């Protein structure tokens, strides 16, 4: 169990002592004020990011990040260790060694995945002021038996949580597009929406304007358009205040006449 003490380490608010695999880990938590975090320089750039299984991430700047599928690559080894573990007698040293090997392997997979996602999210926060992603219903998506393993391996939730705290820390903005917005089925050029589009269709073909484009890239363009609209709406003057000034000006004119 975790050991917490602020008496032993008075400069820290909380100390956690715990084990992961065969390692003893000391974790300290020191609250950091927002003003202590150095803000990232502004870039005035907006990006739309489509998250998927075939490609982990596709941006509206035509950048494709592959799905590394760390768990899938190690699945055979995990299966072998689980099988070996089930054959060992409970309480034996051999069983303990196998459990330790299995724990190390799962820890390695988690670290690989987190490192990969950290690199991507840091790059996005460094290069863009506004980042737009879909508000995916991950808990509902993993119920699909054919895709659940790939979705869990991709770790969409980790990607979103990292973007949420990094954009808050560094003075950037994260926009979540409505989960019912059909970014994949909508043409990013003319706005035509398809009634349906199967997962096997990798190329979006618009029957109205004739555009053909990678489906994930098309979705990223649509997500970026949401960010552009939000940015323009915040910069646009308040119409109500303008109308009020016009009305006031008209009244003054009538008085002069």
């Amino acid at each position: 169990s975790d050991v917490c003490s602020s008496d032993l380490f008075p400069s820290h608010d909380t100390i956690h002592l715990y084990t992961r695999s065969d390692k003893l880990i000391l974790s300290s938590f020191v609250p950091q004020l927002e003003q202590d975090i150095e803000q990232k320089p502004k870039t005035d750039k907006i990006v739309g990011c489509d998250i998927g299984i075939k490609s982990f991430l596709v941006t509206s700047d035509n950048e494709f990040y592959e799905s590394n599928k760390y768990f899938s690559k190690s699945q055979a080894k995990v299966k072998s260790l689980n099988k070996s573990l089930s054959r060992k007698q409970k309480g034996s040293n051999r069983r303990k060694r196998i459990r330790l090997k299995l724990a190390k392997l799962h820890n390695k997979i988690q670290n690989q995945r987190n490192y990969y996602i950290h690199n991507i999210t840091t790059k996005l926060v460094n290069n863009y002021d506004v980042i737009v992603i879909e508000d995916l219903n991950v808990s509902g998506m993993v119920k699909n038996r054919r895709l659940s393993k790939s979705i869990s391996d991709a770790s969409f939730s980790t990607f979103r949580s990292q973007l949420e705290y990094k954009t808050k820390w560094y003075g950037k903005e994260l926009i979540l597009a409505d989960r019912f917005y059909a970014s994949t089925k909508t043409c990013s050029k003319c706005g035509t929406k398809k009634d349906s589009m199967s997962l096997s269709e990798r190329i979006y073909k618009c029957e109205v304007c004739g555009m053909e484009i990678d489906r994930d890239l098309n979705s990223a363009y649509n997500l970026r358009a949401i960010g552009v609209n939000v940015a323009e709406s915040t910069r646009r003057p308040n119409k109500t205040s303008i109308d009020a000034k016009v009305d006031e000006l008209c009244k003054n004119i009538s008085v002069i006449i």
Side-chain angles (χ1 to χ4, degrees), residues 170-220:
Y170 299 119
K172 302 304 179 77
E173 183 179 2
L174 177 65
I175 297 176
L176 299 177
D178 190 278
R179 64 181 55 178
F180 298 109
Y181 172 58
S183 61
T184 302
K185 295 188 289 185
T186 303
C187 177
S188 58
K189 185 177 181 180
C190 68
T192 302
K193 180 182 174 183
K194 288 178 176 287
D195 293 330
S196 62
M197 191 172 180
S198 65
L199 289 173
S200 60
E201 295 180 68
R202 301 310 309 169
I203 302 297
Y204 183 94
K205 298 179 181 179
C206 181
E207 298 175 356
V208 177
C209 68
M211 182 186 70
E212 294 189 11
I213 187 175
D214 178 272
R215 64 178 288 157
D216 297 333
L217 187 57
N218 177 66
S219 177

Short mmCIF file of all heavy atoms in Angstrom, two decimals, residues 170-220:
data_model
loop_
_atom_site.label_atom_id
_atom_site.label_comp_id
_atom_site.label_asym_id
_atom_site.label_seq_id
_atom_site.Cartn_x
_atom_site.Cartn_y
_atom_site.Cartn_z
N TYR A 170 -0.49 25.68 -20.60
CA TYR A 170 0.33 26.51 -21.47
C TYR A 170 -0.45 27.59 -22.23
O TYR A 170 0.05 28.16 -23.19
CB TYR A 170 1.09 25.63 -22.46
CG TYR A 170 2.02 24.65 -21.76
CD1 TYR A 170 1.84 23.28 -21.90
CD2 TYR A 170 3.05 25.10 -20.95
CE1 TYR A 170 2.68 22.38 -21.26
CE2 TYR A 170 3.89 24.21 -20.29
CZ TYR A 170 3.70 22.85 -20.45
OH TYR A 170 4.54 21.97 -19.81
N GLY A 171 -1.68 27.86 -21.80
CA GLY A 171 -2.43 28.96 -22.37
C GLY A 171 -2.93 28.71 -23.78
O GLY A 171 -3.12 29.65 -24.56
N LYS A 172 -3.19 27.46 -24.12
CA LYS A 172 -3.75 27.12 -25.42
C LYS A 172 -5.22 26.71 -25.24
O LYS A 172 -5.72 26.65 -24.11
CB LYS A 172 -2.95 25.98 -26.07
CG LYS A 172 -1.47 26.31 -26.26
CD LYS A 172 -1.26 27.58 -27.08
CE LYS A 172 0.21 27.93 -27.25
NZ LYS A 172 0.89 27.12 -28.24
N GLU A 173 -5.91 26.45 -26.33
CA GLU A 173 -7.34 26.13 -26.24
C GLU A 173 -7.64 24.79 -26.89
O GLU A 173 -7.19 24.50 -27.99
CB GLU A 173 -8.17 27.22 -26.93
CG GLU A 173 -9.67 27.01 -26.82
CD GLU A 173 -10.49 28.11 -27.48
OE1 GLU A 173 -9.87 29.02 -28.06
OE2 GLU A 173 -11.73 28.05 -27.42
N LEU A 174 -8.42 23.97 -26.18
CA LEU A 174 -8.86 22.69 -26.70
C LEU A 174 -10.36 22.74 -26.93
O LEU A 174 -11.12 23.04 -26.01
CB LEU A 174 -8.52 21.56 -25.73
CG LEU A 174 -9.00 20.16 -26.13
CD1 LEU A 174 -8.31 19.69 -27.40
CD2 LEU A 174 -8.78 19.16 -24.99
N ILE A 175 -10.79 22.46 -28.15
CA ILE A 175 -12.21 22.46 -28.49
C ILE A 175 -12.65 21.03 -28.76
O ILE A 175 -12.02 20.31 -29.53
CB ILE A 175 -12.49 23.33 -29.73
CG1 ILE A 175 -12.12 24.79 -29.45
CG2 ILE A 175 -13.96 23.23 -30.15
CD1 ILE A 175 -12.26 25.70 -30.66
N LEU A 176 -13.75 20.62 -28.10
CA LEU A 176 -14.30 19.29 -28.31
C LEU A 176 -15.52 19.39 -29.22
O LEU A 176 -16.52 20.01 -28.86
CB LEU A 176 -14.69 18.66 -26.97
CG LEU A 176 -13.57 18.46 -25.95
CD1 LEU A 176 -14.14 17.89 -24.65
CD2 LEU A 176 -12.50 17.53 -26.51
N ALA A 177 -15.40 18.81 -30.41
CA ALA A 177 -16.53 18.80 -31.33
C ALA A 177 -17.60 17.84 -30.82
O ALA A 177 -17.27 16.80 -30.22
CB ALA A 177 -16.07 18.38 -32.72
N ASP A 178 -18.84 18.18 -31.02
CA ASP A 178 -19.94 17.33 -30.58
C ASP A 178 -19.77 15.91 -31.12
O ASP A 178 -19.43 15.71 -32.28
CB ASP A 178 -21.28 17.92 -31.07
CG ASP A 178 -22.47 17.21 -30.43
OD1 ASP A 178 -22.84 16.13 -30.93
OD2 ASP A 178 -23.02 17.73 -29.45
N ARG A 179 -19.99 14.93 -30.24
CA ARG A 179 -19.77 13.53 -30.65
C ARG A 179 -20.73 13.06 -31.73
O ARG A 179 -20.48 12.05 -32.40
CB ARG A 179 -19.88 12.61 -29.44
CG ARG A 179 -21.23 12.55 -28.77
CD ARG A 179 -21.20 11.62 -27.58
NE ARG A 179 -20.15 11.98 -26.64
CZ ARG A 179 -19.95 11.33 -25.49
NH1 ARG A 179 -20.72 10.32 -25.15
NH2 ARG A 179 -18.98 11.72 -24.67
N PHE A 180 -21.82 13.82 -31.94
CA PHE A 180 -22.77 13.44 -32.99
C PHE A 180 -22.51 14.19 -34.30
O PHE A 180 -23.24 14.03 -35.28
CB PHE A 180 -24.20 13.70 -32.52
CG PHE A 180 -24.59 12.88 -31.31
CD1 PHE A 180 -24.74 13.47 -30.07
CD2 PHE A 180 -24.76 11.50 -31.42
CE1 PHE A 180 -25.08 12.72 -28.95
CE2 PHE A 180 -25.10 10.73 -30.31
CZ PHE A 180 -25.26 11.34 -29.08
N TYR A 181 -21.49 15.03 -34.32
CA TYR A 181 -21.12 15.74 -35.54
C TYR A 181 -20.49 14.76 -36.52
O TYR A 181 -19.51 14.08 -36.20
CB TYR A 181 -20.16 16.88 -35.22
CG TYR A 181 -19.58 17.55 -36.45
CD1 TYR A 181 -20.41 18.14 -37.40
CD2 TYR A 181 -18.21 17.60 -36.66
CE1 TYR A 181 -19.88 18.76 -38.52
CE2 TYR A 181 -17.66 18.22 -37.78
CZ TYR A 181 -18.52 18.80 -38.70
OH TYR A 181 -18.00 19.40 -39.82
N ALA A 182 -21.05 14.69 -37.73
CA ALA A 182 -20.60 13.70 -38.73
C ALA A 182 -19.39 14.23 -39.50
O ALA A 182 -19.47 14.54 -40.69
CB ALA A 182 -21.74 13.36 -39.68
N SER A 183 -18.25 14.34 -38.83
CA SER A 183 -17.06 14.88 -39.48
C SER A 183 -16.54 13.99 -40.59
O SER A 183 -15.98 14.47 -41.58
CB SER A 183 -15.96 15.09 -38.43
OG SER A 183 -15.60 13.86 -37.83
N THR A 184 -16.74 12.68 -40.45
CA THR A 184 -16.25 11.74 -41.46
C THR A 184 -17.16 11.72 -42.68
O THR A 184 -16.68 11.61 -43.82
CB THR A 184 -16.16 10.32 -40.87
OG1 THR A 184 -15.29 10.34 -39.74
CG2 THR A 184 -15.62 9.34 -41.89
N LYS A 185 -18.45 11.86 -42.47
CA LYS A 185 -19.42 11.73 -43.58
C LYS A 185 -19.70 13.06 -44.29
O LYS A 185 -20.45 13.09 -45.27
CB LYS A 185 -20.73 11.14 -43.05
CG LYS A 185 -20.59 9.72 -42.54
CD LYS A 185 -21.93 9.10 -42.19
CE LYS A 185 -22.53 9.71 -40.95
NZ LYS A 185 -23.79 9.03 -40.54
N THR A 186 -19.13 14.15 -43.80
CA THR A 186 -19.37 15.48 -44.38
C THR A 186 -18.21 15.88 -45.28
O THR A 186 -17.05 15.77 -44.89
CB THR A 186 -19.56 16.53 -43.28
OG1 THR A 186 -20.64 16.13 -42.43
CG2 THR A 186 -19.88 17.89 -43.88
N CYS A 187 -18.53 16.36 -46.47
CA CYS A 187 -17.50 16.80 -47.41
C CYS A 187 -16.88 18.10 -46.90
O CYS A 187 -17.59 19.09 -46.65
CB CYS A 187 -18.09 17.01 -48.80
SG CYS A 187 -16.90 17.63 -50.01
N SER A 188 -15.58 18.12 -46.76
CA SER A 188 -14.90 19.30 -46.24
C SER A 188 -14.79 20.42 -47.28
O SER A 188 -14.41 21.54 -46.94
CB SER A 188 -13.49 18.92 -45.75
OG SER A 188 -12.73 18.34 -46.80
N LYS A 189 -15.17 20.12 -48.51
CA LYS A 189 -15.08 21.12 -49.57
C LYS A 189 -16.42 21.82 -49.81
O LYS A 189 -16.49 23.05 -49.85
CB LYS A 189 -14.59 20.48 -50.87
CG LYS A 189 -14.36 21.47 -52.00
CD LYS A 189 -13.80 20.76 -53.23
CE LYS A 189 -13.55 21.76 -54.38
NZ LYS A 189 -13.01 21.08 -55.58
N CYS A 190 -17.50 21.01 -49.97
CA CYS A 190 -18.80 21.61 -50.29
C CYS A 190 -19.83 21.46 -49.18
O CYS A 190 -20.90 22.06 -49.24
CB CYS A 190 -19.35 21.02 -51.59
SG CYS A 190 -19.84 19.28 -51.48
N GLY A 191 -19.54 20.65 -48.16
CA GLY A 191 -20.45 20.51 -47.03
C GLY A 191 -21.53 19.46 -47.19
O GLY A 191 -22.37 19.29 -46.31
N THR A 192 -21.51 18.73 -48.30
CA THR A 192 -22.49 17.67 -48.52
C THR A 192 -22.28 16.54 -47.52
O THR A 192 -21.14 16.13 -47.27
CB THR A 192 -22.40 17.11 -49.95
OG1 THR A 192 -22.60 18.17 -50.89
CG2 THR A 192 -23.45 16.02 -50.18
N LYS A 193 -23.36 16.01 -46.98
CA LYS A 193 -23.27 14.94 -45.98
C LYS A 193 -23.79 13.63 -46.55
O LYS A 193 -24.88 13.56 -47.10
CB LYS A 193 -24.07 15.33 -44.73
CG LYS A 193 -24.04 14.27 -43.63
CD LYS A 193 -24.89 14.72 -42.45
CE LYS A 193 -25.00 13.63 -41.41
NZ LYS A 193 -25.88 14.02 -40.28
N LYS A 194 -23.00 12.58 -46.41
CA LYS A 194 -23.41 11.24 -46.82
C LYS A 194 -24.36 10.65 -45.79
O LYS A 194 -24.27 10.94 -44.60
CB LYS A 194 -22.20 10.32 -46.97
CG LYS A 194 -21.32 10.59 -48.18
CD LYS A 194 -20.14 9.63 -48.17
CE LYS A 194 -19.28 9.80 -49.41
NZ LYS A 194 -19.93 9.25 -50.61
N ASP A 195 -25.26 9.80 -46.25
CA ASP A 195 -26.18 9.13 -45.33
C ASP A 195 -25.45 8.09 -44.49
O ASP A 195 -25.75 7.90 -43.31
CB ASP A 195 -27.32 8.46 -46.11
CG ASP A 195 -28.23 9.48 -46.78
OD1 ASP A 195 -28.37 10.59 -46.24
OD2 ASP A 195 -28.77 9.16 -47.86
N SER A 196 -24.49 7.42 -45.10
CA SER A 196 -23.72 6.39 -44.38
C SER A 196 -22.36 6.23 -45.03
O SER A 196 -22.15 6.59 -46.19
CB SER A 196 -24.47 5.05 -44.40
OG SER A 196 -24.63 4.59 -45.73
N MET A 197 -21.42 5.68 -44.23
CA MET A 197 -20.07 5.43 -44.73
C MET A 197 -19.46 4.32 -43.89
O MET A 197 -19.28 4.47 -42.67
CB MET A 197 -19.22 6.69 -44.66
CG MET A 197 -17.91 6.59 -45.39
SD MET A 197 -17.07 8.18 -45.47
CE MET A 197 -15.59 7.72 -46.38
N SER A 198 -19.15 3.18 -44.50
CA SER A 198 -18.63 2.04 -43.78
C SER A 198 -17.17 2.25 -43.41
O SER A 198 -16.46 3.06 -44.02
CB SER A 198 -18.77 0.76 -44.61
OG SER A 198 -17.96 0.84 -45.77
N LEU A 199 -16.70 1.49 -42.41
CA LEU A 199 -15.32 1.61 -41.95
C LEU A 199 -14.33 1.16 -43.02
O LEU A 199 -13.16 1.56 -43.02
CB LEU A 199 -15.11 0.78 -40.68
CG LEU A 199 -15.77 1.31 -39.41
CD1 LEU A 199 -15.63 0.30 -38.28
CD2 LEU A 199 -15.16 2.64 -39.00
N SER A 200 -14.78 0.32 -43.94
CA SER A 200 -13.89 -0.18 -44.99
C SER A 200 -13.62 0.88 -46.07
O SER A 200 -12.66 0.76 -46.83
CB SER A 200 -14.50 -1.43 -45.65
OG SER A 200 -15.76 -1.13 -46.23
N GLU A 201 -14.45 1.92 -46.13
CA GLU A 201 -14.25 2.99 -47.10
C GLU A 201 -13.18 3.95 -46.58
O GLU A 201 -13.45 4.78 -45.73
CB GLU A 201 -15.55 3.75 -47.35
CG GLU A 201 -16.65 2.95 -48.00
CD GLU A 201 -17.91 3.77 -48.22
OE1 GLU A 201 -17.90 4.69 -49.05
OE2 GLU A 201 -18.92 3.49 -47.52
N ARG A 202 -11.97 3.83 -47.12
CA ARG A 202 -10.86 4.65 -46.65
C ARG A 202 -10.75 5.97 -47.41
O ARG A 202 -10.07 6.90 -46.96
CB ARG A 202 -9.54 3.88 -46.78
CG ARG A 202 -9.48 2.58 -46.00
CD ARG A 202 -9.89 2.72 -44.58
NE ARG A 202 -9.20 3.80 -43.87
CZ ARG A 202 -9.54 4.25 -42.68
NH1 ARG A 202 -10.59 3.74 -42.05
NH2 ARG A 202 -8.86 5.22 -42.11
N ILE A 203 -11.39 6.05 -48.57
CA ILE A 203 -11.37 7.26 -49.38
C ILE A 203 -12.76 7.88 -49.40
O ILE A 203 -13.74 7.21 -49.71
CB ILE A 203 -10.91 7.00 -50.82
CG1 ILE A 203 -9.52 6.37 -50.83
CG2 ILE A 203 -10.91 8.29 -51.64
CD1 ILE A 203 -8.42 7.26 -50.25
N TYR A 204 -12.85 9.17 -49.04
CA TYR A 204 -14.12 9.88 -49.10
C TYR A 204 -14.32 10.40 -50.52
O TYR A 204 -13.47 11.13 -51.05
CB TYR A 204 -14.14 11.05 -48.12
CG TYR A 204 -15.46 11.80 -48.08
CD1 TYR A 204 -16.44 11.47 -47.16
CD2 TYR A 204 -15.72 12.82 -48.99
CE1 TYR A 204 -17.65 12.13 -47.13
CE2 TYR A 204 -16.93 13.49 -48.97
CZ TYR A 204 -17.89 13.14 -48.05
OH TYR A 204 -19.09 13.80 -48.04
N LYS A 205 -15.43 10.00 -51.15
CA LYS A 205 -15.75 10.45 -52.50
C LYS A 205 -17.06 11.21 -52.47
O LYS A 205 -18.11 10.66 -52.15
CB LYS A 205 -15.87 9.26 -53.45
CG LYS A 205 -14.58 8.46 -53.60
CD LYS A 205 -14.73 7.27 -54.53
CE LYS A 205 -13.44 6.48 -54.65
NZ LYS A 205 -13.59 5.30 -55.56
N CYS A 206 -16.99 12.51 -52.78
CA CYS A 206 -18.18 13.35 -52.75
C CYS A 206 -18.90 13.23 -54.09
O CYS A 206 -18.30 13.46 -55.16
CB CYS A 206 -17.81 14.80 -52.46
SG CYS A 206 -19.25 15.90 -52.37
N GLU A 207 -20.19 12.91 -54.04
CA GLU A 207 -20.97 12.74 -55.26
C GLU A 207 -21.43 14.08 -55.84
O GLU A 207 -21.92 14.14 -56.96
CB GLU A 207 -22.19 11.86 -54.97
CG GLU A 207 -21.83 10.45 -54.51
CD GLU A 207 -23.04 9.66 -54.11
OE1 GLU A 207 -24.16 10.24 -54.11
OE2 GLU A 207 -22.89 8.46 -53.78
N VAL A 208 -21.26 15.16 -55.07
CA VAL A 208 -21.72 16.48 -55.53
C VAL A 208 -20.57 17.25 -56.20
O VAL A 208 -20.67 17.67 -57.34
CB VAL A 208 -22.29 17.30 -54.36
CG1 VAL A 208 -22.69 18.70 -54.82
CG2 VAL A 208 -23.50 16.58 -53.76
N CYS A 209 -19.47 17.44 -55.48
CA CYS A 209 -18.35 18.23 -56.02
C CYS A 209 -17.25 17.36 -56.64
O CYS A 209 -16.34 17.89 -57.28
CB CYS A 209 -17.77 19.14 -54.96
SG CYS A 209 -16.91 18.28 -53.62
N GLY A 210 -17.32 16.06 -56.41
CA GLY A 210 -16.35 15.15 -57.01
C GLY A 210 -15.04 15.03 -56.26
O GLY A 210 -14.11 14.37 -56.75
N MET A 211 -14.91 15.63 -55.09
CA MET A 211 -13.66 15.55 -54.35
C MET A 211 -13.40 14.14 -53.83
O MET A 211 -14.31 13.46 -53.35
CB MET A 211 -13.68 16.53 -53.16
CG MET A 211 -12.38 16.54 -52.38
SD MET A 211 -12.43 17.55 -50.87
CE MET A 211 -13.51 16.57 -49.83
N GLU A 212 -12.15 13.69 -53.93
CA GLU A 212 -11.73 12.41 -53.37
C GLU A 212 -10.56 12.67 -52.42
O GLU A 212 -9.58 13.31 -52.80
CB GLU A 212 -11.31 11.44 -54.47
CG GLU A 212 -12.46 11.02 -55.37
CD GLU A 212 -12.08 9.90 -56.32
OE1 GLU A 212 -10.99 9.32 -56.14
OE2 GLU A 212 -12.87 9.61 -57.24
N ILE A 213 -10.68 12.17 -51.20
CA ILE A 213 -9.69 12.48 -50.17
C ILE A 213 -9.71 11.38 -49.13
O ILE A 213 -10.72 10.69 -48.95
CB ILE A 213 -10.02 13.86 -49.52
CG1 ILE A 213 -8.93 14.30 -48.56
CG2 ILE A 213 -11.38 13.82 -48.82
CD1 ILE A 213 -9.15 15.70 -47.99
N ASP A 214 -8.58 11.19 -48.45
CA ASP A 214 -8.51 10.24 -47.35
C ASP A 214 -9.58 10.59 -46.31
O ASP A 214 -9.73 11.76 -45.95
CB ASP A 214 -7.11 10.30 -46.70
CG ASP A 214 -6.98 9.37 -45.52
OD1 ASP A 214 -7.32 9.80 -44.39
OD2 ASP A 214 -6.57 8.22 -45.71
N ARG A 215 -10.32 9.60 -45.85
CA ARG A 215 -11.46 9.87 -44.97
C ARG A 215 -11.04 10.55 -43.66
O ARG A 215 -11.74 11.42 -43.15
CB ARG A 215 -12.23 8.57 -44.66
CG ARG A 215 -11.44 7.53 -43.89
CD ARG A 215 -12.28 6.30 -43.59
NE ARG A 215 -13.29 6.58 -42.59
CZ ARG A 215 -14.41 5.88 -42.44
NH1 ARG A 215 -14.69 4.89 -43.26
NH2 ARG A 215 -15.26 6.17 -41.48
N ASP A 216 -9.89 10.14 -43.10
CA ASP A 216 -9.43 10.73 -41.85
C ASP A 216 -8.97 12.18 -42.05
O ASP A 216 -9.19 13.03 -41.20
CB ASP A 216 -8.29 9.90 -41.26
CG ASP A 216 -8.74 8.49 -40.88
OD1 ASP A 216 -9.93 8.32 -40.60
OD2 ASP A 216 -7.89 7.58 -40.86
N LEU A 217 -8.34 12.44 -43.19
CA LEU A 217 -7.90 13.80 -43.50
C LEU A 217 -9.11 14.70 -43.73
O LEU A 217 -9.13 15.86 -43.30
CB LEU A 217 -7.00 13.79 -44.73
CG LEU A 217 -6.31 15.10 -45.09
CD1 LEU A 217 -5.47 15.61 -43.93
CD2 LEU A 217 -5.45 14.92 -46.33
N ASN A 218 -10.13 14.17 -44.38
CA ASN A 218 -11.37 14.92 -44.59
C ASN A 218 -12.00 15.31 -43.26
O ASN A 218 -12.45 16.44 -43.07
CB ASN A 218 -12.35 14.08 -45.40
CG ASN A 218 -13.69 14.76 -45.61
OD1 ASN A 218 -13.80 15.77 -46.27
ND2 ASN A 218 -14.73 14.19 -45.00
N SER A 219 -12.00 14.36 -42.33
CA SER A 219 -12.54 14.63 -40.99
C SER A 219 -11.72 15.69 -40.26
O SER A 219 -12.28 16.58 -39.61
CB SER A 219 -12.54 13.33 -40.18
OG SER A 219 -12.99 13.56 -38.87
N ALA A 220 -10.40 15.63 -40.41
CA ALA A 220 -9.52 16.62 -39.76
C ALA A 220 -9.79 18.02 -40.31
O ALA A 220 -9.79 19.00 -39.55
CB ALA A 220 -8.06 16.23 -39.97
#
